[in-house]
């Protein structure tokens, strides 16, 4: 429950292409809250390492890249490539990287009026006390179809089967890592968007948020 006048902090987690990012943006716009896509912070680390030709498994180099991340300078369009998402899930296994990025993300979350954060570990690790949490999911086939359509829409090329294999591999990596694995918080509201439009998911989320406010 959110105490009247207290911060409206909303945590949204879920696997790749589940619709969590779109939902987070709609919620942030509707409630006039600042929004952080925490995936961009991991993507920025991966992008910096790829650009410098560094090995993604090198924890020391990944830590240095994480320390240099400036939340205010994250550029979604420069970080959106499918390959950068793949590389992000590899740097995201390093506990030292997570420690630094989580600290920055908590700084963002602590805004007096509240905020919306989306990622993989927001409800479980970054903001475990968030008064409203969502876990957004969809079947791997539906998510792969969305990601594939998105790539084609942006003028890229990709095979559906390759994208589906990537989605399944990324789920396994994100759910199987030792530090902060992707999983729903015990008090998260589950939204399965496999057969739901984004408008329907947004309506469901809004009614949950409005009920949590006193
Ligand atoms: O947009 P998409 O769902 O493909 O990925 P993303 O949200 O940009 O996240 C890219 C990768 O960063 C994920 O596969 C995770 O491995 C990692 N990540 C994480 O570990 N923790 C977060 N809070 C956000 C992202």
């Amino acid at each position: 429950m959110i105490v009247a006048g207290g911060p409206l902090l909303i945590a949204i987690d879920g696997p790749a292409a589940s619709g969590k990012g779109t939902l987070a943006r709609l919620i942030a716009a509707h409630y006039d809250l600042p929004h952080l896509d925490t995936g961009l912070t991991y993507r920025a680390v991966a992008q910096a390492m790829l650009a410098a030709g560094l090995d993604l498994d090198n924890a020391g180099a990944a830590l240095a890249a994480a320390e240099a991340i400036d939340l205010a300078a994250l550029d979604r369009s420069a970080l959106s490539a499918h390959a950068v998402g793949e590389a992000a899930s590899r740097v995201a296994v390093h506990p030292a990287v997570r420690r630094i990025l989580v600290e920055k993300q908590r700084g963002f979350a602590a805004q007096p009026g509240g905020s919306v954060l989306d990622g993989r570990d927001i409800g479980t690790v970054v903001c475990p006390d968030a008064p409203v949490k969502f876990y957004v999911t969809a079947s791997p086939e539906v998510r792969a179809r969305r990601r594939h359509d998105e790539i084609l829409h942006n003028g890229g090329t990709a095979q559906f089967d390759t994208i589906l294999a990537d989605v399944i591999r990324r789920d396994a990596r994100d759910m199987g890592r030792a530090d902060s694995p992707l999983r729903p918080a015990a008090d998260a509201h589950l939204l399965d968007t496999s057969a739901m439009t984004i408008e329907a998911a947004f309506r469901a989320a809004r009614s949950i948020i409005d009920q949590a406010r006193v």
Side-chain angles (χ1 to χ4, degrees), residues 36 38 41-42 101-109 117 122 126:
L36 177 64
T38 62
T41 64
Y42 292 91
L101 294 183
V102 166
E103 201 176 292
K104 293 177 196 268
Q105 293 159 11
R106 285 187 180 141
F108 182 94
L117 278 80
I122 309 305
V126 181

Side-chain angles (χ1 to χ4, degrees), residues 12-21 37-43 76 79-82 84-93 98 101-102 105 118-122 126 143 147 150 167 170-171 173-175 177 179-182:
I12 306 178
D13 291 301
S18 56
K20 66 182 184 312
D37 171 355
T38 62
L40 293 181
T41 64
Y42 292 91
R43 284 174 177 260
R76 165 178 303 283
L79 298 170
S80 64
H82 183 66
V84 176
E86 289 297 304
S89 82
R90 288 182 54 197
V91 302
V93 303
R98 304 202 68 85
L101 294 183
V102 166
Q105 293 159 11
D118 74 276
R120 301 290 191 287
D121 60 345
I122 309 305
V126 181
R143 291 186 286 119
R147 190 51 45 102
E150 194 177 287
V167 160
R170 186 118 72 95
D171 283 359
R173 197 184 289 136
D174 286 350
M175 294 174 184
R177 68 178 172 229
D179 187 350
S180 317
L182 168 64

